[in-house]
Amino acid sequence: YETVAGAIELSGKSGDYNRIGVGLHVLSDKAGTSQLTTNIFTASLAYNIALSRNQDYYVSTGLQISYTQRSFNPYNLTFGSQWVNGTWSAENPTREDLSSTKLTYVDAAAGILWYHINSRTKKSSQFFGVSVFHVNRPPVAFMNITSDKLYTKFVAHAGLEFRVAPKVALTPY
């Protein structure tokens, strides 16, 4: 198994109170006898909007687009159907459809988060967010199976963060 990953994220001001963020994430993974290879290139964009001049209420929105490449080497695989009369041979047919060894797809996600920071004490905050992943339901099968797609996933989260010491905070979700 070999995995290499890297990311860069940058943010900057947008107007007096708002911020914009961009990110690029790259992952490359090769696993197992078949050398199943997965390369994922992800671009992210986020925008943080201050809802008040006190800068204590915010809404953050984000979009993420990924491009995925997957492949495997079928010549390193063996199958039970290659056993004939108690003898295994690589020359025996596999009865497996290995005509498609490469797959590419685009995946999309989006989310929104509301949060509050106590502007007087800066010691507590509340947040609530929702996200949706695999918006476009990309196909993930090497074979041409149109029903084999990633399911759309919905996530909601909420929590409260409060400081218990100058450099320690608790965040129950």
Side-chain angles (χ1 to χ4, degrees):
Y1 295 88
E2 299 174 15
T3 304
V4 177
I8 184 167
E9 296 174 345
L10 305 167
S11 71
K13 289 181 92 174
S14 174
D16 290 335
Y17 307 113
N18 304 332
R19 296 193 66 80
I20 189 167
V22 295
L24 179 63
H25 305 178
V26 179
L27 178 126
S28 180
D29 181 67
K30 188 181 283 189
T33 303
S34 69
Q35 298 172 334
L36 176 62
T37 301
T38 303
N39 296 308
I40 305 172
F41 307 90
T42 303
S44 302
L45 175 67
Y47 198 76
N48 198 35
I49 303 164
L51 298 176
S52 67
R53 290 183 188 260
N54 293 339
Q55 299 179 49
D56 53 355
Y57 290 95
Y58 293 88
V59 170
S60 247
T61 59
L63 299 172
Q64 190 173 65
I65 302 291
S66 297
Y67 175 74
T68 300
Q69 301 171 322
R70 299 188 80 201
S71 64
F72 69 97
N73 182 352
Y75 300 108
N76 293 339
L77 297 176
T78 60
F79 300 92
S81 58
Q82 291 176 298
W83 284 87
V84 176
N85 297 325
T87 304
W88 184 89
S89 172
E91 303 302 317
N92 291 337
T94 66
R95 299 186 199 134
E96 302 293 330
D97 180 4
L98 300 173
S99 60
S100 179
T101 61
K102 296 181 180 181
L103 169 71
T104 61
Y105 60 88
V106 174
D107 194 6
I112 188 165
L113 174 77
W114 168 90
Y115 67 98
H116 170 255
I117 298 172
N118 188 323
S119 59
R120 287 181 284 121
T121 64
K122 303 281 187 198
K123 289 187 179 179
S124 66
S125 64
Q126 304 84 40
F127 55 90
F128 173 78
V130 293
S131 301
V132 59
F133 297 87
H134 317 305
V135 175
N136 55 323
R137 298 212 49 218
V140 293
F142 284 101
M143 296 169 42
N144 191 15
I145 302 172
T146 57
S147 63
D148 209 4
K149 298 180 176 186
L150 287 176
Y151 287 104
T152 302
K153 177 173 75 171
F154 298 92
V155 176
H157 64 278
L160 169 69
E161 178 183 78
F162 55 94
R163 299 236 180 261
V164 294
K167 292 187 178 185
V168 178
L170 293 178
T171 309
Y173 282 66

